[in-house]
Amino acid sequence: MSPTSVPSKDLKAATARPRPGRGGRRNPLARFLLRRVLTALLLALGITLVTFVLTNLVPGDPVSANLGQRALGDPAIVAQWRAEHGLDKPLPQQYLLHLQGVLQGDLGMSQQSHRPVLDDLAEAVPATLELAGAAILISIVAGVAFGVIAALRRDRLSDHVLRVISLIGISVPTFWLALTAFYVFFYRLQITPGSGRIDPGMSPPPQVTGLYTIDSALAGQWDVFSSAVGHLVTPALVLALYTIGLLTRFTRSAVLEVLGQDYVRAARAKGLPPRVILFRYVLRSALVPIITVAGLAFGSLLSGTVLVEAIFAWPGVGQYAYKSATTLDLPAVMGVGLVVGGVYLVINLIVDVLYGVIDPRVRLS
């Protein structure tokens, strides 16, 4: 054998590519998610700083907002109040104390309710999650379905009707729609229940998740479940109308773009059933941008329920934030900011995970 010849086994070993997970590259999806988690932690730190700075830049004096005129005339009372709430310290020291409290699960005491802000949010957040969760579920089901129908029936009557409906949903102000729905369906027609989460006189179900629909079903209290669903439907539909219009138009454009791809034409030429082409090829490719819009829409629903909660007397984060802002309750305002920012971070992380599940290119890139 010549010196330059190489045995076949050695040649195969030399030319073989390293297997994924055994060489320098280990599970690209895991590394991708690890980077996202580390980025989320840094962003969470930034959220604490931004909420603290913006809250302290709000014009107004929390002392005058929380103490009466007689108390303001006494410098000793004012100094004592500022010392109790840490307002007598420099802003950098106040931020470090705030950050230390956040890391320990202490968001401070509300200046209005005189309770821990975390306890107040523990009661308000589930109510808003229930409302926004129902709204985004309705939005995804209706918006994606309407968008697919409009794309498959392009330039036909049903397409034009759905586009007009989506335009109305995007254009109509949510607060006006909430007022109109409450007046027409409750006050005039009396076909929907009134304000609140359940009927007056009913006791809330035993708390497990804080969501009345789920907790009442777990407890077998079907009368409370029926009441909770009835009170949830109208505000959820009002809140979902804008997102339905947005997802309908976005889904339509995304599906139309995929329908024009070569691999879809090839699938049709092979004689595959339209249902298989739609669900296996078209929707899977169009879902990535749709998931992005749906995730952002859910975050905006959580942070934009103030007016809807006020009109329907829904005791959620929106009402709590409004009352805290009008009274300059700084710990409560910062707590609400942290919750909303944290929700956006969690949603973005979930969207990144879904990217890897749906799109193989994310796992291989």
Side-chain angles (χ1 to χ4, degrees), residues 122 149 230 282 336:
I149 293 173
V282 177
V336 172

Side-chain angles (χ1 to χ4, degrees), residues 47-123:
I47 288 173
T48 61
L49 179 60
V50 171
T51 54
F52 178 82
V53 172
L54 292 181
T55 303
N56 283 275
L57 289 178
V58 172
D61 186 9
V63 178
S64 59
N66 289 273
L67 296 179
Q69 292 297 324
R70 295 183 60 183
L72 284 175
D74 190 340
I77 296 179
V78 173
Q80 181 183 358
W81 192 90
R82 295 179 66 88
E84 288 178 355
H85 295 87
L87 300 179
D88 58 337
K89 297 179 176 62
L91 282 180
Q93 189 175 354
Q94 291 183 36
Y95 171 69
L96 292 178
L97 291 175
H98 170 66
L99 182 60
Q100 181 182 358
V102 171
L103 295 177
Q104 295 175 352
D106 181 13
L107 301 182
M109 296 290 294
S110 172
Q111 299 163 6
Q112 290 299 306
S113 65
H114 303 290
R115 300 175 55 200
V117 174
L118 195 61
D119 292 347
D120 290 343
L121 291 174
E123 296 178 359

Side-chain angles (χ1 to χ4, degrees), residues 40-268:
L41 293 177
L42 293 177
L43 289 175
L45 180 62
I47 288 173
T48 61
L49 179 60
V50 171
T51 54
F52 178 82
V53 172
L54 292 181
T55 303
N56 283 275
L57 289 178
V58 172
D61 186 9
V63 178
S64 59
N66 289 273
L67 296 179
Q69 292 297 324
R70 295 183 60 183
L72 284 175
D74 190 340
I77 296 179
V78 173
Q80 181 183 358
W81 192 90
R82 295 179 66 88
E84 288 178 355
H85 295 87
L87 300 179
D88 58 337
K89 297 179 176 62
L91 282 180
Q93 189 175 354
Q94 291 183 36
Y95 171 69
L96 292 178
L97 291 175
H98 170 66
L99 182 60
Q100 181 182 358
V102 171
L103 295 177
Q104 295 175 352
D106 181 13
L107 301 182
M109 296 290 294
S110 172
Q111 299 163 6
Q112 290 299 306
S113 65
H114 303 290
R115 300 175 55 200
V117 174
L118 195 61
D119 292 347
D120 290 343
L121 291 174
E123 296 178 359
V125 169
T128 298
L129 283 178
E130 186 172 41
L131 178 58
I136 196 63
L137 182 62
I138 296 171
S139 301
I140 291 175
V141 173
V144 174
F146 291 164
V148 170
I149 293 173
L152 295 178
R153 302 183 62 84
R154 182 180 183 181
D155 294 332
R156 298 182 185 179
L157 178 61
S158 55
D159 179 26
H160 295 305
V161 171
L162 290 174
R163 290 168 67 185
V164 170
I165 293 175
S166 66
L167 182 61
I168 293 174
I170 295 174
S171 304
V172 174
T174 302
F175 74 91
W176 179 86
L177 184 63
L179 286 171
T180 304
F182 188 81
Y183 175 77
V184 172
F185 295 109
F186 170 67
Y187 183 74
R188 300 295 298 180
L189 301 179
Q190 297 183 355
I191 60 176
T192 59
S195 57
R197 300 180 68 183
I198 54 177
D199 293 336
M202 279 190 174
S203 299
Q207 185 172 358
V208 178
T209 63
L211 312 180
Y212 282 7
T213 51
I214 296 178
D215 291 349
S216 58
L218 292 176
Q221 299 177 352
W222 301 111
D223 54 339
V224 179
F225 175 81
S226 177
S227 177
V229 171
H231 282 261
L232 181 63
V233 168
T234 305
L237 287 174
V238 168
L239 201 59
L241 185 61
Y242 173 83
T243 312
I244 290 175
L246 181 66
L247 284 176
T248 298
R249 300 179 72 86
F250 202 89
T251 302
R252 179 183 181 274
S253 63
V255 171
L256 285 177
E257 183 179 355
V258 176
L259 287 174
Q261 299 296 323
D262 292 338
Y263 61 86
V264 176
R265 297 192 186 100
R268 288 173 175 170

Side-chain angles (χ1 to χ4, degrees), residues 25 28-29 31-32 35 360-365:
R25 300 182 61 187
L29 181 59
R31 293 190 296 111
F32 169 77
R35 289 197 302 269
R361 293 171 295 183
V362 175
R363 297 196 293 268
L364 298 176
S365 62

